[in-house]
Amino acid sequence: MRVLGIESSCDETSAAVVSGAGDRVTMDSLVILSQDVHRIFGGVVPEIASRAHLTAIVPVTRQALVDAGLPPSGAGIDAIAVTHAPGLVGALLVGVAYAKALGATLQVPVIGAHHMEGHLFATSLDHADAVPPFTALLVSGGHTMLMDVAAWGEYRLLGSTRDDAAGEAFDKVAKLLGLPYPGGRHIEALALQGDPTRHRFAPPMLNRGQKPGDDDYYDLSFSGLKTAVLRAVRAAEARGALADELPQLARGFQDALIATLSEKTARAARAFGRTRVVLGGGVACNRALQDGVQRAVASSGGTVFAPAPKLATDNAAMIARAGLWRLEQGERSGPELNAYASLAIPGLRD
Ligand code: KG4
Ligand code: ZN
């Protein structure tokens, strides 16, 4: 089966073609157009995002089709998968409306795909072994979820953030440190030069007393850490030492956040006897996080699979991949397919 994927949930307009069956699916093309305009505002402006998707969706899709060796009309496609939740509704609607129109024109089925289920599938396009059963850590600008994936479509949510998402914490701390938006990769780069002993922030929501069954055993929280960094920034400012302290502050923040994510992911892998750990979402680009999780799961024989950057951040290949699996299960969306700001991942249980 050859599936065209379309993603427009936030500030990336993306289209991709994947083909194959079962766990043997390859990516034939992937085009991602990032909307740089939001940088000026330090965050995504929904109305601007929708308008930019509208301008880009046709050329981006045509490019993905041509890159896959297909005519720009889409002839040769067997189905279309489109992100329909969660995300900015006005942005999602651009993709959903376009996918439905194209599906009707080409007379191929359309399937609405869940953005977070897409992130779960993304790494399998890079690593043939990144398939269930595995422990999943999804860390993006909007979401932070620790899950057990017994099989595709069988998801158990173990923990999530009680306040800010991991990427949001990176972006907010980056702002405190005067770095550009989105700040995750800037913090990572700055932290490389930072002395890890200068600012030792406590890893959030992590203590030895936590036991399986406790709410806080898997749950995460990052706003307290952000406040701790803010206090340290103010103190450094008062000493007139902020410029010198920036790498140390970035390092201290990143180390604390990674300590929590690594330990909680290792707990989940141990509890379910999983030897594979799959990372997803924009923050999964962070090499220190990849290394931290790998170290934490190594003692129980775990291997970490992280997607290449273009598959870690929002992209349509993961949507096409998740949609292909749903189509293989016989699922189809009707003309009533709609966009939703929030929606549970299908097959998710607590
Ligand atoms: O998955 P994504 O592209 O979009 C959402 O669905 O939110 O994730 C974007 C997030 C941003 O918060 C960005 O700062 C973060 O991923 N990010 C990183 C790195 N690269 C991107 N965070 C930490 N280290 C990185 N290298
Ligand atoms: Zn995402």
Side-chain angles (χ1 to χ4, degrees):
M1 194 182 331
R2 193 187 273 141
V3 179
L4 168 68
I6 295 174
E7 153 69 37
S8 68
S9 67
C10 190
D11 57 347
E12 261 94 26
T13 315
S14 180
V17 176
V18 304
S19 56
D23 279 334
R24 299 177 69 86
V25 177
T26 53
M27 184 169 80
D28 301 330
S29 68
L30 170 58
V31 178
I32 304 172
L33 190 70
S34 293
Q35 303 176 357
D36 275 353
V37 57
H38 304 288
R39 273 185 212 188
I40 307 165
F41 304 99
V44 178
V45 184
E47 176 70 19
I48 294 177
S50 308
R51 286 167 188 265
H53 285 306
L54 209 47
T55 310
I57 193 108
V58 174
V60 163
T61 303
R62 284 173 170 247
Q63 190 62 52
L65 291 163
V66 170
D67 288 356
L70 296 166
S73 63
I77 286 294
D78 299 310
I80 301 172
V82 61
T83 311
H84 75 124
L88 303 168
V89 171
L92 287 165
L93 277 173
V94 175
V96 168
Y98 180 60
K100 286 201 278 191
L102 191 58
T105 309
L106 298 172
Q107 298 200 307
V108 297
V110 173
I111 181 85
H114 193 285
H115 182 83
M116 300 312 288
E117 187 171 45
H119 278 301
L120 286 175
F121 273 91
T123 312
S124 71
L125 287 167
D126 252 350
H127 302 279
D129 291 336
V131 292
F134 59 75
T135 299
L137 176 67
L138 300 184
V139 273
S140 73
H143 294 271
T144 304
M145 300 168 109
L146 182 59
M147 294 163 73
D148 184 66
V149 177
W152 294 129
E154 276 180 47
Y155 311 123
R156 187 152 169 198
L157 180 64
L158 303 174
S160 53
T161 180
R162 295 187 180 178
D163 38 61
D164 295 348
E168 195 180 351
F170 267 102
D171 294 340
K172 286 180 176 172
V173 168
K175 200 170 176 183
L176 293 178
L177 303 184
L179 299 169
Y181 170 88
R185 65 192 172 87
H186 300 287
I187 294 216
E188 181 179 13
L190 194 59
L192 284 174
Q193 309 149 32
D195 173 358
T197 62
R198 179 71 186 89
H199 290 284
R200 290 190 195 272
F201 299 109
M205 292 276 283
L206 190 66
N207 66 61
R208 287 174 193 280
Q210 291 164 335
K211 296 183 298 298
D214 293 350
D215 274 355
D216 57 3
Y217 190 67
Y218 293 123
D219 265 2
L220 303 152
S221 158
F222 301 108
S223 78
L225 174 59
K226 177 193 64 194
T227 309
V229 176
L230 173 64
R231 266 194 237 107
V233 166
R234 293 221 172 111
E237 233 164 13
R239 291 194 304 275
L242 184 57
D244 290 344
E245 291 282 313
L246 290 176
Q248 281 67 254
L249 288 160
R251 179 65 187 262
F253 160 75
Q254 186 176 272
D255 282 357
L257 180 139
I258 289 174
T260 295
L261 288 175
S262 302
E263 170 58 20
K264 300 217 166 182
T265 305
R267 286 176 180 178
R270 274 199 308 272
F272 289 83
R274 307 297 184 211
T275 53
R276 289 186 285 255
V277 173
V278 170
L279 305 181
V283 184
C285 293
N286 189 293
R287 289 300 299 264
L289 173 67
Q290 296 172 14
D291 294 347
V293 178
Q294 180 59 66
R295 269 197 304 278
V297 300
S299 61
S300 50
T303 304
V304 173
F305 297 95
K310 68 178 192 301
L311 289 170
T313 56
D314 290 351
N315 70 86
M318 68 183 198
I319 299 305
R321 178 67 190 84
L324 187 149
W325 183 80
R326 292 269 160 205
L327 290 157
E328 284 182 327
Q329 310 311 301
E331 296 179 29
R332 304 282 184 273
S333 299
E336 70 286 352
L337 178 67
N338 207 340
Y340 301 95
S342 66
L343 186 78
I345 303 180
L348 183 78
R349 64 187 181 97
D350 277 342

